[in-house]
Amino acid sequence: MAEPAAKKAKTAARTFLFSSESVNEGHPDKLCDQVSDAVLDACLKVDPKSKVACETVTKDNMVMVAGEITTEAKLDYDKVVRGVVAQIGFDSFVDDLSSVDSKGLSHKSCEVLVRINKQSPDIAGGVHVNKEDLD
């Protein structure tokens, strides 16, 4: 006997696909996560009500932090980025793909790009304006 359509739909709605990513130590994704976390931590240390949406990208001795941040904290983004890069141990960049000495990034010479704006009023209105702290 065929299964009723309503029961099939209910079963299908409960099916989901789970996926995850794992990367090794020193992978650019881990560096980017740590830089974004350091920016968030620096904001919250000074201003616990900071609103932070920060993403980080890295490639070829360059690290860029971008996003929307509204905070009372006055951050030196360059210092935050270079501190994380140094702490992880990226300390040599040679612009030669055949170099065995290059780690691909150096806290001393990397280009740090900052593209941070204040949180847009549209996002603020949808996320936290006129809402309780626990909302």
Side-chain angles (χ1 to χ4, degrees), residues 19-89:
S19 150
S20 64
E21 175 186 52
S22 177
V23 295
N24 292 330
E25 182 180 344
H27 190 280
D29 284 353
K30 287 198 182 286
L31 168 76
C32 292
D33 288 346
Q34 289 184 39
V35 169
S36 294
D37 288 349
V39 169
L40 173 63
D41 290 345
C43 289
L44 293 175
K45 185 176 182 180
V46 175
D47 178 6
K49 293 191 179 221
S50 295
K51 307 298 183 237
V52 179
C54 177
E55 292 293 335
T56 303
V57 179
T58 186
K59 177 79 172 122
D60 297 335
N61 209 38
M62 179 277 301
V63 180
M64 177 174 74
V65 290
E68 295 185 349
I69 297 177
T70 300
T71 183
E72 297 297 319
K74 304 296 181 216
L75 296 188
D76 181 345
Y77 293 100
D78 190 270
K79 183 177 179 181
V80 172
V81 168
R82 289 180 193 281
V84 171
V85 172
Q87 182 180 5
I88 292 171

Coordinates of all heavy atoms in Angstrom, one line a residue, residues 19-89:
S19 N 27.4 18.8 7.0 CA 28.7 18.9 6.4 C 29.6 19.7 7.3 O 29.1 20.6 8.0 CB 28.5 19.5 5.0 OG 29.6 20.2 4.6
S20 N 30.9 19.4 7.3 CA 31.8 20.2 8.0 C 33.1 20.3 7.3 O 33.4 19.5 6.5 CB 32.0 19.7 9.5 OG 32.6 18.4 9.4
E21 N 33.9 21.3 7.7 CA 35.2 21.5 7.1 C 36.3 21.4 8.2 O 36.1 21.9 9.3 CB 35.3 22.9 6.4 CG 36.6 23.2 5.9 CD 36.7 24.6 5.3 OE1 36.3 25.6 6.1 OE2 37.1 24.8 4.2
S22 N 37.4 20.8 7.9 CA 38.5 20.7 8.8 C 39.8 21.1 8.1 O 40.0 20.6 7.0 CB 38.6 19.3 9.3 OG 39.7 19.2 10.2
V23 N 40.5 22.1 8.6 CA 41.8 22.5 8.0 C 42.9 22.4 9.0 O 42.7 22.4 10.2 CB 41.7 23.9 7.5 CG1 40.7 24.0 6.4 CG2 41.3 24.9 8.6
N24 N 44.1 22.2 8.5 CA 45.3 22.0 9.4 C 45.8 23.3 9.9 O 45.5 24.4 9.5 CB 46.4 21.3 8.6 CG 46.0 19.9 8.2 OD1 45.3 19.2 8.9 ND2 46.5 19.5 7.1
E25 N 46.6 23.1 10.9 CA 47.3 24.3 11.6 C 48.1 25.1 10.5 O 48.7 24.5 9.6 CB 48.3 23.7 12.6 CG 49.1 24.7 13.3 CD 50.1 24.1 14.3 OE1 50.0 22.9 14.6 OE2 51.0 24.8 14.8
G26 N 48.0 26.4 10.6 CA 48.6 27.3 9.7 C 47.8 27.6 8.4 O 48.2 28.4 7.6
H27 N 46.7 27.0 8.3 CA 45.8 27.2 7.1 C 45.3 28.6 7.1 O 45.0 29.2 8.2 CB 44.6 26.2 7.1 CG 43.9 26.2 5.8 ND1 42.9 27.1 5.5 CD2 43.9 25.4 4.8 CE1 42.4 26.9 4.4 NE2 43.0 25.8 3.9
P28 N 45.2 29.3 6.0 CA 44.7 30.7 6.0 C 43.3 30.9 6.6 O 43.1 31.9 7.2 CB 44.6 31.0 4.5 CG 45.6 30.1 3.8 CD 45.6 28.8 4.6
D29 N 42.4 29.9 6.5 CA 41.1 30.0 7.2 C 41.3 30.2 8.7 O 40.6 30.9 9.4 CB 40.3 28.8 6.9 CG 39.7 28.8 5.5 OD1 39.8 29.8 4.8 OD2 39.0 27.8 5.2
K30 N 42.2 29.4 9.3 CA 42.4 29.5 10.8 C 43.0 30.9 11.1 O 42.6 31.5 12.1 CB 43.4 28.4 11.2 CG 42.7 27.1 11.3 CD 43.5 26.1 12.1 CE 42.9 24.7 12.1 NZ 41.7 24.6 12.9
L31 N 43.9 31.4 10.3 CA 44.5 32.7 10.5 C 43.4 33.8 10.5 O 43.3 34.6 11.4 CB 45.6 33.1 9.5 CG 46.0 34.5 9.4 CD1 46.9 34.9 10.6 CD2 46.6 34.9 8.1
C32 N 42.5 33.7 9.4 CA 41.5 34.7 9.3 C 40.5 34.6 10.4 O 40.1 35.7 10.9 CB 40.7 34.4 8.0 SG 41.8 34.8 6.5
D33 N 40.1 33.4 10.9 CA 39.3 33.3 12.1 C 39.9 34.0 13.3 O 39.2 34.7 14.1 CB 38.9 31.9 12.4 CG 38.0 31.2 11.4 OD1 37.4 32.0 10.6 OD2 37.9 30.0 11.3
Q34 N 41.2 33.8 13.5 CA 41.8 34.3 14.7 C 41.9 35.8 14.6 O 41.8 36.5 15.6 CB 43.2 33.7 14.9 CG 43.1 32.2 15.3 CD 44.4 31.6 15.6 OE1 45.3 32.2 16.1 NE2 44.5 30.3 15.3
V35 N 42.2 36.4 13.4 CA 42.2 37.8 13.3 C 40.8 38.4 13.5 O 40.7 39.4 14.3 CB 42.7 38.2 11.8 CG1 42.5 39.7 11.6 CG2 44.2 37.9 11.7
S36 N 39.8 37.9 13.0 CA 38.4 38.4 13.2 C 38.1 38.3 14.7 O 37.5 39.2 15.3 CB 37.4 37.6 12.4 OG 37.6 37.8 11.0
D37 N 38.4 37.2 15.3 CA 38.2 37.0 16.8 C 39.0 38.1 17.6 O 38.4 38.6 18.6 CB 38.6 35.6 17.3 CG 37.6 34.5 16.8 OD1 36.6 34.9 16.3 OD2 38.0 33.3 16.9
A38 N 40.2 38.4 17.2 CA 41.0 39.3 17.9 C 40.4 40.7 17.8 O 40.4 41.5 18.7 CB 42.4 39.4 17.4
V39 N 39.8 41.1 16.6 CA 39.2 42.4 16.4 C 37.9 42.4 17.3 O 37.7 43.4 18.0 CB 38.8 42.6 14.9 CG1 37.8 43.8 14.8 CG2 40.0 42.7 14.1
L40 N 37.1 41.4 17.3 CA 36.0 41.3 18.2 C 36.4 41.5 19.7 O 35.8 42.3 20.4 CB 35.2 40.0 18.0 CG 34.1 39.7 19.0 CD1 33.0 40.8 18.8 CD2 33.5 38.3 18.8
D41 N 37.4 40.7 20.1 CA 37.8 40.8 21.5 C 38.3 42.2 21.9 O 38.0 42.7 23.0 CB 39.0 39.8 21.8 CG 38.5 38.3 21.7 OD1 37.3 38.1 21.8 OD2 39.4 37.4 21.6
A42 N 39.0 42.8 21.0 CA 39.5 44.2 21.2 C 38.4 45.2 21.4 O 38.4 46.0 22.2 CB 40.5 44.6 20.1
C43 N 37.3 45.0 20.6 CA 36.2 45.9 20.7 C 35.4 45.7 22.0 O 35.1 46.6 22.7 CB 35.2 45.6 19.5 SG 35.8 46.2 17.9
L44 N 35.2 44.4 22.3 CA 34.4 44.1 23.5 C 35.1 44.4 24.8 O 34.5 44.7 25.8 CB 34.0 42.6 23.5 CG 33.0 42.2 22.4 CD1 32.8 40.7 22.5 CD2 31.7 42.9 22.6
K45 N 36.5 44.4 24.7 CA 37.3 44.8 25.9 C 37.0 46.2 26.3 O 36.9 46.5 27.5 CB 38.7 44.5 25.6 CG 39.7 44.8 26.8 CD 41.1 44.4 26.4 CE 42.0 44.6 27.6 NZ 43.4 44.3 27.3
V46 N 36.9 47.1 25.4 CA 36.7 48.5 25.6 C 35.2 48.8 25.7 O 34.8 49.6 26.6 CB 37.3 49.4 24.5 CG1 37.0 50.8 24.7 CG2 38.8 49.1 24.5
D47 N 34.4 48.2 24.8 CA 33.0 48.5 24.8 C 32.2 47.3 24.7 O 32.0 46.7 23.6 CB 32.7 49.4 23.5 CG 31.3 49.8 23.3 OD1 30.4 49.4 24.2 OD2 31.0 50.4 22.3
P48 N 31.6 46.8 25.8 CA 30.9 45.5 25.8 C 29.6 45.5 24.9 O 29.1 44.5 24.6 CB 30.5 45.3 27.3 CG 31.5 46.2 28.0 CD 31.8 47.3 27.1
K49 N 29.2 46.7 24.5 CA 28.0 46.8 23.7 C 28.4 47.0 22.2 O 27.5 47.4 21.4 CB 27.1 47.9 24.1 CG 26.5 47.7 25.5 CD 25.4 48.6 25.9 CE 24.9 48.2 27.2 NZ 23.4 48.4 27.3
S50 N 29.6 46.7 21.9 CA 30.0 46.8 20.5 C 29.2 45.9 19.6 O 28.8 44.8 20.0 CB 31.5 46.4 20.3 OG 32.4 47.2 21.0
K51 N 29.0 46.4 18.4 CA 28.3 45.6 17.3 C 29.4 45.3 16.3 O 29.9 46.2 15.6 CB 27.1 46.3 16.7 CG 26.1 46.9 17.7 CD 25.5 45.8 18.5 CE 24.5 46.3 19.5 NZ 24.7 45.9 20.9
V52 N 29.7 44.0 16.1 CA 30.9 43.7 15.2 C 30.5 42.6 14.2 O 30.0 41.5 14.6 CB 32.0 43.1 16.1 CG1 33.2 42.7 15.2 CG2 32.4 44.2 17.1
A53 N 30.6 43.0 13.0 CA 30.5 42.0 11.8 C 31.8 42.2 11.0 O 31.9 43.1 10.2 CB 29.3 42.3 11.0
C54 N 32.7 41.3 11.3 CA 34.1 41.4 10.8 C 34.5 40.2 10.0 O 34.4 39.1 10.6 CB 35.1 41.8 11.9 SG 36.8 41.9 11.4
E55 N 35.0 40.3 8.8 CA 35.5 39.2 8.1 C 37.0 39.5 7.7 O 37.4 40.7 7.6 CB 34.7 39.0 6.8 CG 33.3 38.5 7.0 CD 33.2 37.1 7.5 OE1 34.2 36.3 7.3 OE2 32.2 36.8 8.1
T56 N 37.8 38.5 7.6 CA 39.2 38.6 7.3 C 39.5 37.7 6.1 O 39.0 36.6 5.9 CB 40.0 38.2 8.5 OG1 39.7 39.0 9.6 CG2 41.5 38.4 8.2
V57 N 40.4 38.3 5.2 CA 40.8 37.6 4.0 C 42.4 37.7 4.0 O 42.9 38.8 4.3 CB 40.3 38.3 2.7 CG1 40.8 37.6 1.5 CG2 38.8 38.3 2.8
T58 N 43.0 36.7 3.5 CA 44.5 36.7 3.4 C 44.9 36.1 2.1 O 44.4 35.1 1.7 CB 45.2 36.1 4.6 OG1 46.6 36.3 4.5 CG2 44.9 34.6 4.7
K59 N 46.0 36.6 1.5 CA 46.6 36.1 0.3 C 47.9 36.8 0.0 O 47.9 38.0 0.1 CB 45.6 36.3 -0.9 CG 46.1 35.9 -2.3 CD 46.0 34.4 -2.4 CE 46.3 34.0 -3.9 NZ 47.4 33.1 -4.0
D60 N 48.9 36.1 -0.3 CA 50.2 36.6 -0.7 C 50.7 37.8 0.1 O 50.8 38.9 -0.4 CB 50.1 37.1 -2.2 CG 49.9 35.9 -3.1 OD1 50.2 34.8 -2.8 OD2 49.3 36.1 -4.2
N61 N 50.9 37.6 1.4 CA 51.5 38.6 2.3 C 50.6 39.8 2.4 O 51.0 40.9 2.6 CB 52.9 39.0 1.8 CG 53.7 39.5 3.0 OD1 53.7 38.9 4.1 ND2 54.5 40.5 2.8
M62 N 49.3 39.6 2.4 CA 48.3 40.6 2.6 C 47.2 40.1 3.5 O 46.8 38.9 3.4 CB 47.7 41.0 1.2 CG 46.6 42.1 1.3 SD 44.9 41.6 1.7 CE 44.6 40.4 0.4
V63 N 46.8 40.9 4.4 CA 45.6 40.6 5.3 C 44.7 41.7 5.2 O 45.0 42.9 5.4 CB 46.0 40.3 6.7 CG1 44.8 39.9 7.6 CG2 47.1 39.2 6.8
M64 N 43.4 41.4 4.9 CA 42.4 42.5 4.9 C 41.3 42.2 5.9 O 40.8 41.0 5.9 CB 41.7 42.6 3.5 CG 40.6 43.6 3.4 SD 40.0 43.9 1.8 CE 39.0 42.5 1.5
V65 N 40.9 43.2 6.7 CA 39.8 43.0 7.6 C 38.7 44.0 7.0 O 39.0 45.1 6.6 CB 40.1 43.4 9.0 CG1 41.0 42.3 9.7 CG2 40.7 44.7 9.2
A66 N 37.5 43.5 6.9 CA 36.4 44.2 6.3 C 35.1 43.9 7.1 O 35.0 42.9 7.7 CB 36.3 43.8 4.9
G67 N 34.2 44.9 7.0 CA 32.9 44.7 7.7 C 32.3 45.9 8.2 O 32.7 47.0 7.8
E68 N 31.4 45.7 9.1 CA 30.7 46.8 9.8 C 30.9 46.7 11.3 O 30.5 45.7 11.9 CB 29.2 46.8 9.4 CG 29.0 47.1 7.9 CD 27.5 47.2 7.6 OE1 26.7 46.9 8.4 OE2 27.3 47.6 6.4
I69 N 31.4 47.7 11.9 CA 31.7 47.7 13.4 C 31.2 49.1 13.9 O 31.6 50.1 13.5 CB 33.2 47.5 13.7 CG1 33.6 46.1 13.2 CG2 33.4 47.6 15.2 CD1 35.1 45.8 13.4
T70 N 30.4 49.0 15.0 CA 30.0 50.1 15.7 C 30.5 49.9 17.2 O 30.0 49.0 17.8 CB 28.5 50.4 15.7 OG1 28.1 50.6 14.3 CG2 28.1 51.6 16.5
T71 N 31.4 50.8 17.6 CA 32.0 50.6 18.9 C 32.6 51.9 19.4 O 32.9 52.8 18.6 CB 33.1 49.5 18.9 OG1 33.6 49.3 20.2 CG2 34.2 49.9 18.0
E72 N 32.7 52.0 20.7 CA 33.4 53.2 21.3 C 34.9 53.0 21.3 O 35.7 53.9 21.5 CB 32.9 53.4 22.7 CG 31.4 53.8 22.8 CD 31.1 55.1 22.1 OE1 31.8 56.1 22.2 OE2 30.0 55.1 21.4
A73 N 35.3 51.7 21.0 CA 36.8 51.4 21.0 C 37.5 52.1 19.9 O 36.9 52.2 18.8 CB 37.0 49.9 21.0
K74 N 38.7 52.6 20.1 CA 39.5 53.2 19.0 C 40.6 52.1 18.8 O 41.6 52.1 19.5 CB 40.1 54.5 19.5 CG 39.1 55.5 19.9 CD 38.2 55.9 18.8 CE 37.2 57.0 19.3 NZ 35.9 56.8 18.6
L75 N 40.4 51.3 17.8 CA 41.3 50.2 17.5 C 42.4 50.6 16.5 O 42.1 51.3 15.5 CB 40.6 49.0 16.9 CG 39.5 48.3 17.8 CD1 39.1 47.1 17.1 CD2 40.1 48.0 19.2
D76 N 43.6 50.1 16.7 CA 44.7 50.1 15.8 C 44.6 48.8 15.1 O 45.2 47.8 15.5 CB 46.0 50.3 16.5 CG 47.2 50.4 15.5 OD1 47.0 50.0 14.4 OD2 48.3 50.8 16.0
Y77 N 43.8 48.7 14.0 CA 43.6 47.4 13.3 C 44.9 46.8 12.8 O 45.1 45.6 12.8 CB 42.7 47.6 12.1 CG 41.2 47.9 12.6 CD1 40.8 49.2 12.5 CD2 40.4 46.9 13.0 CE1 39.5 49.5 13.0 CE2 39.1 47.2 13.5 CZ 38.7 48.5 13.4 OH 37.4 48.8 13.8
D78 N 45.9 47.7 12.3 CA 47.1 47.2 11.9 C 47.9 46.5 13.0 O 48.4 45.4 12.7 CB 48.0 48.4 11.4 CG 49.2 48.0 10.7 OD1 50.3 47.8 11.3 OD2 49.2 47.8 9.4
K79 N 47.9 47.0 14.2 CA 48.5 46.4 15.3 C 47.8 45.1 15.7 O 48.5 44.1 16.0 CB 48.5 47.3 16.5 CG 49.2 46.8 17.7 CD 49.3 47.9 18.8 CE 50.0 47.4 20.0 NZ 50.0 48.3 21.1
V80 N 46.5 45.0 15.7 CA 45.8 43.8 16.0 C 46.1 42.7 15.0 O 46.4 41.6 15.4 CB 44.3 44.1 16.0 CG1 43.5 42.8 16.2 CG2 43.9 45.0 17.1
V81 N 46.1 43.1 13.7 CA 46.4 42.1 12.6 C 47.8 41.5 12.8 O 48.0 40.3 12.8 CB 46.1 42.7 11.2 CG1 46.7 41.8 10.1 CG2 44.6 42.9 11.0
R82 N 48.8 42.5 12.8 CA 50.2 42.0 12.9 C 50.4 41.2 14.2 O 51.2 40.3 14.1 CB 51.1 43.2 12.8 CG 51.1 43.9 11.4 CD 52.0 45.1 11.4 NE 51.8 45.8 10.2 CZ 52.2 45.5 9.0 NH1 53.0 44.4 8.8 NH2 51.9 46.2 7.9
G83 N 49.8 41.5 15.3 CA 49.9 40.8 16.5 C 49.5 39.3 16.3 O 50.2 38.4 16.8
V84 N 48.4 39.1 15.7 CA 47.9 37.8 15.5 C 48.8 37.0 14.5 O 49.2 35.9 14.8 CB 46.4 37.8 15.0 CG1 46.0 36.4 14.5 CG2 45.5 38.3 16.0
V85 N 49.2 37.7 13.5 CA 50.1 37.0 12.5 C 51.4 36.6 13.1 O 51.9 35.5 12.9 CB 50.3 38.0 11.3 CG1 51.4 37.4 10.3 CG2 49.0 38.2 10.5
A86 N 51.9 37.5 14.0 CA 53.2 37.2 14.7 C 53.0 36.0 15.7 O 53.8 35.1 15.8 CB 53.7 38.4 15.4
Q87 N 51.9 36.1 16.4 CA 51.6 35.1 17.4 C 51.5 33.7 16.8 O 52.0 32.7 17.4 CB 50.3 35.4 18.2 CG 50.0 34.5 19.3 CD 48.7 34.9 20.0 OE1 48.0 35.8 19.6 NE2 48.4 34.2 21.0
I88 N 50.9 33.6 15.6 CA 50.8 32.3 15.0 C 52.1 31.8 14.5 O 52.4 30.6 14.4 CB 49.8 32.4 13.8 CG1 48.4 32.6 14.4 CG2 49.8 31.2 12.9 CD1 47.3 33.0 13.4
G89 N 53.0 32.8 14.1 CA 54.4 32.4 13.7 C 54.7 32.7 12.2 O 55.7 32.2 11.7

